[in-house]
Amino acid sequence: MSKNLVIVESPAKAKTIEGYLGKDFTVKSSFGHVRDLPKGDKAIDIKNNFKPTYEISEDKKDVVKDLKKLAAAADVVWLATDDDREGEAISWHLKESLDLNDSKTRRIVFREITKNAILSAIQSPRTIDVDLVNAQQARRILDRLVGFEMSPILWKKIKTGLSAGRVQSVAVRLVVEREREVEGHQAKALYKVTGTFLLDKGKTLQAELGKRFNTEQEAQAFLEDCLKSEFSVKDLEKKPGKKSPAAPFTTSTLQQEASRKLSFSVAQTMTLAQRLYEAGKISYMRTDSVNLSQFAIDAAKTAITESYGAEYSHPRVFKTKSESAQEAHEAIRPTDFTVQTVGGERNEQRLYELIWKRAIASQMADAQLEKTVVTIGISQSQENFVATGEVIKFEGFLKVYLESTDDDEEDEATEDVKGMLPPIDKGQKLGLDQIRAIERYSRPAARYTEASLVKKLEELGIGRPSTYAPTISTIQKRGYVEKENRDGRERKLNELILKGNKITQNTVIENTGQEKMKLFPTDLAMVVNDFLVEHFPTVTDYSFTAGVEKEFDLIAEGKTKWQTMLKDFYTPFHERVELTNAIERSTINTGKELGKDPVTGETIIARLGRYGALVQIGEADEEKGIKPRFASLRKGQLIENITLEEALDLFKLPREVGLFEEKPMVVAIGRFGPYVRHDSKFYSLKKEDDPYTIDDQRAIEIIEGKRQADAEKLIKEFPENPEAKVLNGRWGPYIQFGKLNIKIPKDREPASVTLEEILVWSEGVTAKPSRWGRKAPAAKEPAKKAPAKKAAKKASAKKSATKKVAAKKSVAKEATAKAPAAKKAVAKKKAVAKKKK
DNA sequence: CAGTGAGCGAGCTTCCGCTTGACTT
């Protein structure tokens, strides 16, 4: 048994450090926090000065047991958890739960995992900083009080199972308010004018008019002036410029760039980064620091000098902009700068390359540019055309990496006038090719992507690197936010073109409002948000976290008692909780009155129902035997936006349009758009079809068209198992087996595939097992399983146990009854596998 | 991709921040 036990938070880190220290040191990991507040309401004794009770977390019992054994046998225990508030608290919890006494306990910290840093940390141990620990306790307790007092109000007043919290409620608020901003945006069109001028040797010059016109008349008048004008270079200005590289990645900037450049979700980015970290390829991936260790800066310098030359190297130290940063780690960087690519899955490689490029570029020289601005005068107008060009004199870091921006679309308007300009002289006369004036609509603020929401949260100091991804998934799991693609709609633009002494008018069609993987708030989010903002304005305020963080800092500095801080917060907060609890449920989700039914005169309202948003016509009247009519809102329709006309349209569908093969055809709009349903099969309508007016003839055409197309795709069927088919797909032939799609091995004749082979091949084909992926989709499963275990344990408490089991069985039955072909397929697969054995 | 939709009400849900592990033939 070694004399020294070092405890860090992460096992990967433990492995690395063990290599740096001698044989006298054993390095183990705590796997993060080991103790937490228990779930129930006994966790915090509010009357007793917020005294917390802590419990060893269920999944850490074994960890603590092992550590305790090792600690007892060691002479000295080195608590080497992260150098921040949470890390200090982890050390304290370890000290408490491992029964460590002061004499054998040392607290050490380091912010980079290098041999020097570790060894010098060992040379200067300290004791646990109680004030910092208290700041963490205040943070933890405040979050629990906020979350566990506000959530139950939502259960009672809006819907069970909902949640609210210091971080998630602000995240939802951001998405809700952005949506209202977008919906409320009044697009205003201005005429943007671009000119194409002729130079020698067939070259042309693109330039944009400085002024934009409000109306077609003004644009027309300007073009008429141009008709009579001559054009010449009035001014020619060249000035040097430079671009500097961005800082190396933090968690948040990594998520943003991986989203923009690689289209990864924030969760996907973190999973891939975790794998790279565990493989020793990159430094720690949950960090808010842009700092690199001296070791890393030197290594980057060497790598850059070798690959690109000394003139490309420029060692830099970056400063964090964020006030909330705790900087317990380095920025995200490769552990070895000479490694440009790594093995592993393709996306892992892509993420690694991004990290490598960004870190290397951050230590490279500025790019030197020369900007040219050409001002073109118009003889009959005061206005000027301006052409700008940019020439790179020295690439510098651009040789490796260029950061992208959130509003790439914005560039589309100017891209045609950037780049290198042809040689031009001041005073030179220019021939005119054409001048084009086209309407350009103002754009509303962009809806958030997962990554841009993380960016916003970070700017507000809300959340931490380890919680960005979980927060984003929580607000989606709770049904507050949905990540979606939306089709744009066509918009007509008016265009005037002056060419060959003539002005002509055109209409150009552009697609506007198209969205890809953007966050949309649900009706539920609107209701919950408005409710919380009204009754808990302090907690839902964007600056609430920043405010309490300042208080936590005071506690950490020993200037405030944590109990005092909590009391000052809790007293007015809890008063609001009581007041809000007293509000009548019926006054909250009353919905929105849209107007009267023009036919019956009944009132129409839109409100949130058990299964989502609905429109209701009339109210129930038992005496008269009147029942209200209901219709669900469609994707993209929100309670607060829906108009009376749209609501009335909802009652026109589903609509029976006629009979075909003696079975009814029903037209409706589903999640994937308008469709005809016939014989429990769905047939999508074509874009040009209007579900409200489509007739039986056209519906039959669509059904027969689909059948025809399917028949053409079909290569082979198996009468003994209708689940299996060989089809011709977009990328060649494949096997459809229940809900599974199976590849056909190369150089295999698709028509000769047998059912036996399909059963064998289907073995390897399952839903791709992602590393943490099992957690999310299985969310319902453990929830069911957990009580099952409890029930088994409490076998003596018969009544409740049997009840629960019975309830569960019925759920399970339902699930299997609904389970589609795929399950049967699996069952069959198993049967075959058994036979083989 | 359909159909449903208040009401009765046992006992459940929930926060944020650290970190990954693996019961079996």
Side-chain angles (χ1 to χ4, degrees):
Chain A
M1 199 53 66
S2 61
K3 294 174 192 150
N4 296 280
L5 174 64
V6 181
I7 306 176
V8 295
E9 292 179 33
S10 144
K13 203 177 184 178
K15 220 170 91 189
T16 314
I17 292 172
E18 192 143 49
Y20 295 148
L21 296 167
K23 274 194 173 155
D24 289 342
F25 289 82
T26 303
V27 187
K28 290 285 171 188
S29 139
S30 76
F31 297 90
H33 272 292
V34 293
R35 291 204 309 185
D36 192 14
L37 300 169
K39 276 189 123 191
D41 46 6
K42 61 179 194 301
I44 303 162
D45 190 350
I46 293 164
K47 290 206 183 85
N48 195 0
N49 234 343
F50 301 96
K51 188 174 182 298
T53 304
Y54 293 107
E55 267 180 12
I56 310 276
S57 312
E58 196 49 49
D59 55 335
K60 299 296 164 54
K61 294 216 161 132
D62 291 344
V63 174
V64 171
K65 214 162 88 187
D66 289 351
L67 290 176
K68 207 167 173 176
K69 213 185 278 171
L70 291 168
D75 296 338
V76 179
V77 178
W78 304 82
L79 299 175
T81 53
D82 293 351
D83 187 14
D84 59 14
R85 198 163 65 203
E86 297 296 327
E88 202 68 19
I90 291 174
S91 274
W92 177 73
H93 281 299
L94 281 169
K95 182 164 179 267
E96 294 277 306
S97 44
L98 303 181
D99 298 325
L100 303 177
N101 60 33
D102 286 338
S103 64
K104 75 187 268 184
T105 310
R106 312 271 187 282
R107 168 77 171 121
I108 53 168
V109 294
F110 36 83
R111 295 187 167 208
E112 45 186 67
I113 315 296
T114 56
K115 192 167 181 177
N116 281 341
I118 313 287
L119 292 178
S120 78
I122 298 270
Q123 294 308 310
S124 48
R126 58 172 175 83
T127 53
I128 288 173
D129 182 343
V130 180
D131 291 327
L132 194 52
V133 173
N134 286 340
Q136 192 274 345
Q137 297 203 80
R139 197 282 303 156
R140 179 68 190 91
I141 294 168
L142 180 132
D143 280 336
R144 167 58 67 84
L145 292 171
V146 168
F148 276 36
E149 294 209 7
M150 290 203 314
S151 299
I153 300 182
L154 297 180
W155 307 342
K156 275 185 270 182
K157 309 297 175 190
I158 297 173
K159 194 181 155 183
T160 74
L162 293 179
S163 64
R166 173 175 59 83
V167 172
Q168 60 169 286
S169 295
V170 175
V172 171
R173 181 176 184 178
L174 284 164
V175 176
V176 166
E177 293 193 343
R178 176 60 53 88
E179 186 66 24
R180 289 183 173 149
E181 205 180 320
V182 173
E183 287 291 332
H185 175 77
Q186 301 283 340
K188 192 172 169 251
L190 292 176
Y191 282 81
K192 177 189 147 182
V193 185
T194 51
T196 308
F197 299 95
L198 300 168
L199 303 171
D200 305 337
K201 295 174 192 159
K203 288 192 170 158
T204 60
L205 176 67
Q206 291 270 345
E208 186 179 335
L209 196 72
K211 188 184 166 88
R212 294 190 176 197
F213 299 106
N214 285 311
T215 62
E216 184 180 348
Q217 287 72 27
E218 287 174 47
Q220 175 83 23
F222 171 74
L223 290 187
E224 275 161 18
D225 287 343
C226 286
L227 262 180
K228 300 172 274 184
S229 286
E230 289 193 331
F231 305 89
S232 61
V233 177
K234 204 159 126 189
D235 200 8
L236 182 68
E237 202 188 345
K238 287 191 178 179
K239 48 187 175 188
K242 64 167 190 176
K243 268 199 181 101
S244 301
F249 283 130
T250 60
T251 302
S252 144
T253 54
L254 175 67
Q255 289 172 350
Q256 289 159 46
E257 276 291 87
S259 163
R260 290 186 292 236
K261 287 196 163 158
L262 308 175
S263 305
F264 293 170
S265 71
V266 299
Q268 196 183 359
T269 298
M270 293 314 283
T271 307
L272 294 168
Q274 175 88 26
R275 276 191 226 149
L276 290 169
Y277 168 67
E278 284 174 4
K281 302 295 182 196
I282 59 167
S283 62
Y284 196 57
M285 65 282 152
R286 291 187 275 263
T287 176
D288 52 20
S289 172
V290 287
N291 251 320
L292 293 179
S293 65
Q294 193 54 51
F295 165 83
I297 292 175
D298 295 343
K301 186 177 173 182
T302 311
I304 293 162
T305 309
E306 267 176 27
S307 305
Y308 309 106
E311 70 273 26
Y312 280 90
S313 167
H314 186 292
R316 296 165 197 267
V317 173
F318 293 89
K319 280 212 182 88
T320 176
K321 275 182 244 164
S322 144
E323 260 184 55
S324 59
Q326 306 202 1
E327 307 199 69
H329 304 273
E330 279 189 71
I332 303 171
R333 63 163 173 93
T335 47
D336 183 350
F337 281 95
T338 62
V339 177
Q340 267 197 52
T341 49
V342 293
E345 185 204 317
R346 167 140 174 74
N347 281 340
E348 256 172 81
Q349 294 173 16
R350 295 211 290 163
L351 190 69
Y352 178 81
E353 274 161 37
L354 196 67
I355 292 167
W356 182 87
K357 284 179 180 171
R358 175 85 163 218
I360 278 277
S362 80
Q363 296 301 312
M364 287 176 77
D366 288 344
Q368 302 296 334
L369 313 167
E370 186 183 74
K371 283 181 183 165
T372 309
V373 179
V374 182
T375 310
I376 299 165
I378 309 163
S379 60
Q380 298 296 318
S381 166
Q382 295 300 307
E383 306 300 330
N384 292 314
F385 279 102
V386 176
T388 56
E390 211 172 72
V391 179
I392 296 176
K393 291 285 180 187
F394 174 65
E395 281 178 291
F397 78 96
L398 288 179
K399 200 167 183 78
V400 181
Y401 183 87
L402 178 62
E403 188 185 15
S404 59
T405 55
D406 272 331
D407 28 37
D408 280 338
E409 307 153 56
E410 213 46 64
D411 297 344
E412 163 253 341
T414 46
E415 114 197 281
D416 44 357
V417 286
K418 271 260 170 88
M420 211 162 71
L421 294 182
I424 295 170
D425 299 316
K426 191 168 172 179
Q428 184 178 337
K429 293 247 181 297
L430 297 172
L432 179 66
D433 175 31
Q434 68 160 23
I435 297 176
R436 177 173 184 253
I438 184 158
E439 281 183 300
R440 282 278 168 237
Y441 279 91
S442 61
R443 259 198 286 257
R447 290 190 175 90
Y448 289 109
T449 61
E450 288 189 348
S452 69
L453 182 58
V454 166
K455 181 183 180 187
K456 184 70 186 176
L457 288 171
E458 188 189 36
E459 281 168 11
L460 294 169
I462 298 171
R464 305 280 313 133
S466 68
T467 59
Y468 294 139
T471 300
I472 298 294
S473 76
T474 298
I475 61 176
Q476 294 179 68
K477 250 192 273 172
R478 295 275 178 278
Y480 292 141
V481 164
E482 285 168 356
K483 186 166 73 176
E484 267 175 56
N485 299 327
R486 293 261 172 101
D487 290 337
R489 53 183 182 78
E490 286 183 349
R491 180 156 68 187
K492 284 178 185 155
L493 301 176
N494 193 22
E495 179 190 56
L496 300 173
I497 291 182
L498 184 170
K499 186 161 184 155
N501 284 327
K502 266 194 327 219
I503 298 172
T504 50
Q505 195 249 345
N506 283 318
T507 304
V508 177
I509 290 173
E510 73 164 359
N511 194 14
T512 179
Q514 192 182 19
E515 296 280 26
K516 248 182 99 178
M517 299 308 258
K518 292 290 172 61
L519 300 179
F520 291 84
T522 60
D523 286 295
L524 181 67
M526 304 277 188
V527 172
V528 168
N529 179 65
D530 292 352
F531 176 78
L532 290 177
V533 170
E534 185 185 345
H535 297 102
F536 297 95
T538 315
V539 177
T540 51
D541 194 279
Y542 294 132
S543 62
F544 175 70
T545 292
V548 291
E549 281 291 341
K550 287 216 174 78
E551 304 272 330
F552 296 148
D553 287 344
L554 290 174
I555 297 169
E557 290 161 24
K559 292 177 182 158
T560 309
K561 274 196 78 178
W562 66 271
Q563 291 95 336
T564 314
M565 183 257 153
L566 280 180
K567 196 176 169 209
D568 289 349
F569 162 74
Y570 185 74
T571 311
F573 170 74
H574 187 69
E575 219 166 279
R576 293 227 73 114
V577 170
E578 301 273 319
L579 284 172
T580 312
N581 256 325
I583 299 172
E584 270 298 309
R585 184 193 160 100
S586 57
T587 61
I588 293 161
N589 176 23
T590 50
K592 190 183 152 207
E593 190 171 326
L594 301 175
K596 306 277 180 201
D597 184 339
V599 182
T600 63
E602 293 169 302
T603 306
I604 302 182
I605 60 163
R607 66 175 171 89
L608 209 55
R610 178 107 173 64
Y611 305 107
L614 60 88
V615 183
Q616 176 181 345
I617 301 187
E619 277 178 57
D621 189 331
E622 265 182 48
E623 283 180 23
K624 291 184 190 165
I626 297 173
K627 278 188 180 170
R629 289 180 289 147
F630 299 101
S632 294
L633 266 65
R634 300 203 180 108
K635 269 261 128 84
Q637 288 181 331
L638 289 171
I639 292 171
E640 67 180 43
N641 291 344
I642 193 166
T643 62
L644 182 62
E645 289 71 34
E646 286 166 340
L648 289 169
D649 274 349
L650 291 175
F651 289 92
K652 294 182 186 161
L653 296 175
R655 181 170 66 94
E656 199 180 310
V657 290
L659 288 177
F660 175 55
E661 294 172 347
E662 294 170 16
K663 286 186 173 142
M665 296 182 289
V666 178
V667 173
I669 298 180
R671 277 213 294 139
F672 309 138
Y675 63 87
V676 190
R677 194 171 81 245
H678 176 254
D679 194 14
S680 47
K681 286 189 197 66
F682 296 87
Y683 304 84
S684 292
L685 296 196
K686 301 287 172 213
K687 232 185 183 170
E688 63 271 20
D689 291 318
D690 178 358
Y692 296 109
T693 56
I694 191 169
D695 63 11
D696 56 341
Q697 285 309 309
R698 178 63 189 146
I700 291 168
E701 253 176 64
I702 287 166
I703 293 169
E704 286 182 330
K706 174 78 163 56
R707 284 180 180 175
Q708 181 73 30
D710 283 349
E712 277 166 21
K713 280 200 326 197
L714 189 75
I715 300 173
K716 194 176 179 185
E717 269 183 307
F718 302 91
E720 59 273 38
N721 188 345
E723 300 285 355
K725 278 173 195 156
V726 182
L727 298 169
N728 232 333
R730 172 88 176 69
W731 295 284
Y734 69 102
I735 297 160
Q736 192 183 73
F737 185 41
K739 288 217 165 165
L740 294 175
N741 287 336
I742 304 165
K743 267 190 200 162
I744 296 178
K746 273 182 196 170
D747 41 271
R748 187 74 170 75
E749 186 54 46
S752 69
V753 168
T754 66
L755 192 59
E756 285 289 288
E757 283 173 319
I758 293 177
L759 291 169
V760 174
W761 291 337
S762 66
E763 285 288 314
V765 187
T766 42
K768 229 183 181 180
S770 74
R771 194 143 195 261
W772 320 114
R774 248 177 302 172
K775 259 183 187 168
K780 281 173 201 162
E781 286 237 320
K784 275 181 209 160
K785 270 184 189 167
K789 267 187 196 166
K790 268 186 202 166
K793 274 183 193 170
K794 284 185 195 166
S796 51
K798 313 135 235 174
K799 272 187 191 169
S800 68
T802 42
K803 237 187 199 174
K804 264 183 200 167
V805 171
K808 232 165 294 134
K809 271 189 184 161
S810 69
V811 169
K813 257 186 200 167
E814 234 177 72
T816 35
K818 274 186 194 166
K823 273 215 172 165
K824 282 186 215 160
V826 169
K828 276 189 187 168
K829 251 176 2 186
K830 279 188 179 167
V832 168
K834 270 187 186 171
K835 266 186 198 169
K836 271 187 171 178
K837 277 180 188 170

